[in-house]
């Protein structure tokens, strides 16, 4: 998915921001982050891929730049009253450090879903942390209440000219660090602070360089705004990439982005996981999902345009990721890259059949194999296979299996296969469970969330299947089988009941993976 900005320009606006960026005070606390070549990605994609290492900042993200530039310019009276911000974590850490350096009291309001590593980091830098709400917008509303009650000065994470100017120093550094012609810069987008700052500086001096925003498909607020021609509020926001989980692009950032961002590319969580692995392979940096957006978008751009030999810069915006989330990231990285296939294959139930099947796979590594006896004639297996990075590698494998008369079903893109079935394969339900409906749920992950979900689900219908796995992501995923009598009124009642629960859900009763392995 892409969206393109307006071709109109606003030179006066650029003049204002250039002056602010050139006079921005960030280097009391921030470093000029290195610009590293990514050798493996460069070779694989046929272009010169550069990574701007904002993970090297003292707070492991670019946010220190904008936060310090804003706070250092406050009046003595404002500094004495203290500052407050709402943040998913990176801006919070930047503000905490800025306030500590300047001897100012800082209060940070964070969503309950914020990774623990970010909460600890803010506290370690002397800030008072208040956990409130499940999203940035709920945390923001509470922070405004504190402004009214306590007289704090609110330091916005992105929608402030001085914050934007602080982030704009990244663009200044890139042009200074890379003398060769730059074709495009890929910038993560949440509320728009970093892309607005970079676009303002780069487009003033080098308008031929493309500024391309990259958003998560779960929070693509700039993409939606460009498509509508105005700022819009997303009805819901996914928080896998919590650093960019914003429902509406900022007002000040929109004024710049709508004129000077060339286009916006959106990337799925699976694609972000693949980009995290790519960055690790080249730099040994373990970045957060939002931090990998630039590389993920750049890869899609290269594939779409078919360009070769270009100089492409991606912003690695942050590395504040909970360690336990890496388990989930590693599980789906190869799928996100298209290098792993998840298949359901029927093989004969006889000695040597598995060996024969593996021989057909050749040197392709098997990443996962699940099996349980079904009957005397055939066995249904759930298998993961590495297929290589070639565009048609998965289809080639499917064709080979079908040519050898193996019934095969491709489950690589199936949600419940990736997150549930692979951990549950072990046999079909007994004949007595013949009235089961299957539902997939998502809920905000935080301490006690699973218990709250179970309490909400209640005892109205018997639970015949249940799978939950905490994989460190911001959303909990649950697969539930409910026994519902085969009666139209009963089925209508269960749907009404689930709507009233208020959780996002999908009916997966007809899902082929469920039918093959668990029904």
């Amino acid at each position: 998915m892409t969206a393109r900005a307006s071709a109109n320009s606003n030179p006066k606006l650029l003049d204002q921001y250039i002056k602010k960026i050139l006079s921005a005070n960030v280097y009391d606390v921030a470093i000029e982050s290195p610009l590293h070549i990514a050798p493996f990605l460069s070779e694989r994609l046929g272009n010169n891929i550069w990574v701007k290492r904002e993970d090297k900042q003292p707070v492991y993200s670019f946010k220190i730049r904008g936060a310090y530039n804003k706070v250092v310019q406050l009046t003595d009276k404002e500094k004495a009253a203290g500052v407050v911000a709402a943040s998913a974590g990176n801006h919070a850490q930047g503000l905490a450090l800025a306030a500590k350096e300047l001897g100012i009291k800082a209060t940070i309001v964070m969503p309950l879903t914020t990774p623990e590593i970010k909460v600890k980091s803010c506290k370690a830098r002397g800030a008072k942390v208040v956990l409130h709400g499940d999203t940035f917008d709920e945390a923001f509303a509470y922070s405004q209440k504190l402004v009214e009650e306590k007289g704090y000065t609110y330091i916005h994470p992105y929608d402030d000219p001085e914050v934007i100017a602080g982030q704009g120093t990244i663009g200044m550094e890139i042009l200074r660090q890379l003398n060769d012609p730059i074709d495009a810069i890929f910038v993560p987008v949440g509320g728009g602070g970093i892309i607005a700052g970079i676009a303002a500086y780069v487009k003033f001096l080098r308008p031929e360089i493309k500024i391309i925003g990259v958003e998560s498909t779960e929070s693509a607020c700039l993409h939606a705004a460009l498509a509508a021609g105005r700022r819009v509020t997303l009805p819901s926001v996914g928080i896998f990439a919590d650093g960019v989980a914003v429902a509406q692009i900022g007002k000040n950032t929109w004024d710049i982005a709508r004129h000077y961002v060339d286009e916006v590319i959106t990337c799925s969580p699976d694609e972000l996981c693949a980009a995290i692995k790519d960055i690790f392979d080249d730099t040994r940096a373990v970045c957060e999902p939002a931090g990998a957006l630039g590389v993920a978008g750049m890869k899609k751009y290269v594939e779409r345009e078919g360009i070769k030999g270009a100089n492409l810069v991606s912003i690695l915006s942050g590395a504040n990721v909970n360690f336990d989330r890496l388990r989930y990231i590693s599980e789906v990285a190869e799928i996100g890259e298209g290098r792993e296939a998840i298949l359901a294959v029927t093989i004969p139930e006889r000695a040597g059949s598995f060996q024969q099947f593996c021989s057909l796979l050749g040197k392709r590594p098997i990443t996962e194999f699940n099996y349980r006896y079904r009957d005397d004639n055939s066995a249904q297996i759930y298998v993961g296979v590495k297929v290589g990075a070639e565009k048609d590698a998965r289809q080639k494998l499917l064709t080979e299996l079908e040519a050898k008369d193996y019934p095969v079903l491709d489950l690589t893109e199936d949600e419940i296969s990736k997150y549930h079935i692979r951990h549950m394969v072990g046999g079909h339900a007994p004949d007595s469970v013949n009235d089961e409906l299957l539902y997939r749920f998502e809920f905000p992950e935080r301490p006690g969330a699973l218990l709250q979900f179970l309490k909400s689900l209640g005892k109205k219908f018997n639970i015949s299947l249940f799978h939950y796995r905490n994989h460190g992501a911001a959303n909990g995923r649950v697969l539930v089988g409910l026994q519902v009598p085969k009666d139209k009124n009963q089925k209508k009642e269960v749907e009404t009941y689930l709507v009233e629960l208020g959780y996002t859900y999908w009916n997966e009763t007809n899902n082929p993976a469920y039918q093959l392995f668990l029904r």
Side-chain angles (χ1 to χ4, degrees), residues 340-345 354 357 361 366-370 381-385 401 517:
E340 183 180 16
I342 302 297
L343 309 175
V345 184
F354 178 48
F357 172 74
L361 296 179
I366 293 177
T367 58
E368 187 168 0
F369 184 85
N370 291 294
I381 62 171
Y382 179 103
V383 60
V385 184
L401 292 174
F517 293 106

Side-chain angles (χ1 to χ4, degrees), residues 65-74 153-155 160 162-163:
R65 297 173 183 264
Y68 189 82
N69 190 50
K70 174 65 178 179
V71 174
V72 77
Q73 298 184 58
L74 296 178
T153 297
Y154 183 75
I155 309 298
D160 181 284
E162 306 306 333
V163 172

Side-chain angles (χ1 to χ4, degrees), residues 231-297:
R231 295 167 68 222
V232 297
T233 302
L234 300 177
S236 62
V237 171
I239 47 180
F240 172 67
D242 56 289
V244 292
V246 178
Q248 185 182 48
I249 198 74
K251 184 179 183 300
N252 292 292
T253 57
W254 168 243
D255 288 341
I256 299 172
R258 67 195 177 103
H259 296 304
Y260 298 108
V261 173
D262 292 279
E263 66 171 291
V264 174
I265 297 172
T266 60
C267 295
S268 70
D270 286 2
E271 290 168 330
L272 294 187
C273 292
I276 290 171
K277 182 179 183 298
D278 289 324
I279 292 168
F280 177 81
D281 288 345
D282 262 319
T283 68
R284 296 302 183 268
V286 182
C287 67
E288 60 188 276
L293 275 166
V295 167

